[in-house]
Amino acid sequence: MPNGVSLRGQLLGWLLLPLFLLLSVAAFLVYSETVKLTTLAYDRALFDSTRALSRQVQVRDGRIEVDLPAEARAILRYDERDTIYFQVKDAAGRVIAGDHDMPVPPAALHRVDLPIFYDAKLNGRSVRVAAVFIPSPLGTGTGETLIQVAETVFKRDSIMRDALVGIVVMQLCILASTALLVWLGVRQGLAPLDGLQAEIASRSHLDLRAVPERDAPLEVRPLVRSINDLLQRLEANIDAQRRFIAYAAHQLRTPLAGIKTQAELALRETTPQAMRHALEQLHISAERATHLANQLLALARAEPGALSETHFCRLDLTRLVKEASIAWVPEALSKGIDLGYEGSSVEVMVRGDPLLLREMVNNLLDNAIRYCPPGTQVTARVMNEGRPTLVIEDDGPGIPAPDRDRVFQRFYRAVVGDVGGTGLGLAIVADGAKAHGASVRLESLDGASGTRITIVFPPAQE
């Protein structure tokens, strides 16, 4: 639908324009039929005069004469509006009776004992002529006698004009009446949409209740259902944002309070050794706050709908995982953990956001290194067995079975030793995978210990 055009205007246009065309065609057909019937009626009357005149043709002393008294001539020529002309010619072309300047019938119409009708000019005026050729009477020679009667066309033109005006006025009245009925019908038919618009417009931005479907027309109910689905998703998203803000505020409050406390303690200390200890604790609290803030930013980036696929690009998952693994080697060595890479050495292309994919890999490696004790192994793998696949596994203590379905929730932390964390790492992984159309699977290596997290990506399109 073009911009700025209402549905009511579209409906009226699609209904009234064809109606106008149909009425115009009907008016033309009616006018054409009226002209045809009027012409036929006047032509028959004109030909009747020709036939009556032909019956007055007689032979006297071997010559053709017309026995037409003065009263009969007056009756023949009488008409209230038009002028009547007549003519009788013998086979030699001599005018026996009537007007001498009558036009000659077109040669193409010449036929005997059959009516001939044609239009012509007489004394500068338009006339309609009815003519007939009759065989010459016996004893007058061979050939045909021509009898013609003509009349001006004032009555005909007047009737045509009156018919045209009547038809146009009638069709305009029909069009106006129909247009009014169509407008009322469209208005009444669209009234439920006005009610729906008023229902939605009257709500505040906090009112996300479903729009009632019972009063909506059947054709509009799919639209109402789509709006209700959108409102439901929006309400769920807003609730998730509220919970996220509440959780984030709660999580940030603790490290910030710790930073403030450690700073106050450092200010009260007088000895360098005590002041150093307070500053070390302040540094640890600042690192935790920084890590939590970074996790919150990454989680916000991984939010469903926060990323647009128009910003995705093709990238090599193998190279990305290798670079991330190399970056985490120093941290793994400091904790006595063997971190390595196995799997594909060739390009495994995926389509996605580089920053978010790197954040997902970093969170998986961070979780594995954070929760594994010294002497364990952490392995990163990239495979392409029909679909690009990323696997991060370790032989650490594993995740208890009751917690495996909950570790991907925000701010949820499984009870595995006394290890600090934000409870956002795997939530970022889950949201990031969803944003890339990937699936995430968590499983134990031997049923009790060890953890394997597998992410399967859709094939990268060219």
Side-chain angles (χ1 to χ4, degrees):
M1 182 179 295
N3 292 332
V5 178
S6 68
L7 180 60
R8 182 178 285 104
Q10 287 276 300
L11 290 174
L12 290 175
W14 280 108
L15 291 173
L16 293 180
L17 182 59
L19 178 62
F20 174 77
L21 295 176
L22 288 175
L23 289 177
S24 299
V25 172
F28 173 77
L29 294 177
V30 171
Y31 177 72
S32 299
E33 192 65 21
T34 302
V35 170
K36 179 181 176 181
L37 294 176
T38 302
T39 302
L40 181 61
Y42 276 103
D43 284 351
R44 285 179 176 176
L46 198 61
F47 184 69
D48 288 342
S49 298
T50 304
R51 298 293 292 180
L53 187 60
S54 68
R55 286 193 290 270
Q56 304 303 318
V57 176
Q58 300 176 359
V59 178
R60 186 174 298 172
D61 299 331
R63 299 180 60 182
I64 298 176
E65 294 182 355
V66 178
D67 184 13
L68 195 64
E71 294 80 2
R73 289 174 183 266
I75 293 173
L76 179 63
R77 290 185 181 275
Y78 175 76
D79 193 280
E80 292 182 351
R81 301 189 61 183
D82 284 311
T83 302
I84 307 298
Y85 306 91
F86 74 95
Q87 183 187 74
V88 180
K89 279 185 178 182
D90 62 12
R94 294 187 299 269
V95 176
I96 300 172
D99 302 286
H100 287 71
D101 50 357
M102 287 281 289
V104 179
L109 299 178
H110 185 99
R111 51 184 181 261
V112 180
D113 273 340
L114 292 175
I116 299 172
F117 300 98
Y118 64 95
D119 297 314
K121 289 285 187 180
L122 182 59
N123 299 328
R125 302 161 73 180
S126 297
V127 293
R128 181 70 172 175
V129 184
V132 63
F133 287 94
I134 61 175
S136 296
L138 295 175
T140 61
T142 60
E144 297 95 21
T145 300
L146 173 63
I147 302 173
Q148 297 188 97
V149 178
E151 68 175 355
T152 53
V153 293
F154 295 119
K155 291 194 304 292
R156 299 175 185 241
D157 291 345
S158 176
I159 290 177
M160 302 304 178
R161 286 193 299 270
D162 293 343
L164 180 61
V165 171
I167 291 171
V168 170
V169 171
M170 177 181 65
Q171 298 290 43
L172 288 177
C173 292
I174 293 175
L175 180 62
S177 303
T178 308
L180 178 61
L181 294 176
V182 168
W183 182 79
L184 292 174
V186 170
R187 180 182 178 185
Q188 186 65 25
L190 295 179
L193 293 183
D194 295 334
L196 180 62
Q197 185 269 339
E199 164 71 19
I200 296 176
S202 63
R203 297 187 178 191
S204 71
H205 65 284
L206 300 177
D207 188 358
L208 299 177
R209 292 178 293 111
V211 179
E213 293 185 27
R214 61 182 180 274
D215 296 330
L218 293 177
E219 294 80 4
V220 182
R221 288 185 182 181
L223 174 62
V224 175
R225 293 191 191 102
S226 298
I227 293 175
N228 288 337
D229 290 342
L230 176 61
L231 292 175
Q232 185 177 4
R233 293 194 300 271
L234 183 60
E235 185 175 21
N237 190 39
I238 291 176
D239 289 342
Q241 292 289 343
R242 288 172 179 168
R243 291 194 301 269
F244 173 77
I245 293 173
Y247 291 151
H250 175 73
Q251 294 292 329
L252 283 172
R253 190 179 295 115
T254 300
L256 291 178
I259 291 174
K260 180 180 179 181
T261 301
Q262 295 298 334
E264 291 175 349
L265 289 175
L267 290 174
R268 286 199 298 267
E269 297 295 344
T270 57
T271 64
Q273 183 176 5
M275 187 177 296
R276 179 179 178 83
H277 177 72
L279 291 176
E280 289 176 350
Q281 295 300 315
L282 180 62
H283 177 69
I284 293 173
S285 298
E287 281 188 340
R288 290 178 178 174
T290 301
H291 178 67
L292 177 59
N294 290 333
Q295 292 288 80
L296 291 174
L297 291 174
L299 185 62
R301 184 178 181 82
E303 278 284 336
L307 284 177
S308 173
E309 291 190 10
T310 57
H311 299 99
F312 283 11
C313 63
R314 283 171 52 85
L315 53 91
D316 182 11
L317 184 62
T318 300
R319 180 178 177 182
L320 186 147
V321 174
K322 284 183 177 179
E323 291 177 352
S325 300
I326 292 173
W328 280 94
V329 166
E331 180 71 16
L333 291 176
S334 67
K335 295 187 175 181
I337 294 175
D338 180 13
L339 173 62
Y341 172 82
E342 296 178 1
S344 177
S345 59
V346 298
E347 290 184 347
V348 175
M349 304 304 294
V350 296
R351 182 173 178 80
D353 180 76
L355 293 178
L356 182 54
L357 288 174
R358 186 178 296 276
E359 189 67 31
M360 292 166 59
V361 175
N362 285 336
N363 277 280
L364 290 173
L365 293 174
D366 179 31
N367 266 25
I369 295 172
R370 183 184 299 271
Y371 289 98
C372 285
T376 54
Q377 292 183 343
V378 176
T379 304
R381 292 189 180 91
V382 174
M383 300 172 291
N384 190 8
E385 299 177 353
R387 301 181 69 180
T389 304
L390 167 64
V391 178
I392 304 293
E393 66 179 29
D394 63 72
D395 57 357
I399 299 176
D403 294 328
R404 290 174 190 169
D405 293 334
R406 304 176 62 187
V407 291
F408 291 104
Q409 298 177 8
R410 298 174 181 181
F411 302 106
Y412 180 81
R413 294 177 57 204
V415 182
V416 182
D418 186 15
V419 180
T422 62
L424 292 175
L426 292 182
I428 294 172
V429 172
D431 287 349
K434 184 177 181 180
H436 288 83
S439 61
V440 182
R441 184 175 68 253
L442 186 151
E443 54 192 345
S444 178
L445 293 182
D446 59 7
S449 63
T451 302
R452 178 189 292 120
I453 297 180
T454 304
I455 303 178
V456 182
F457 294 88
Q461 299 178 352
E462 295 294 339

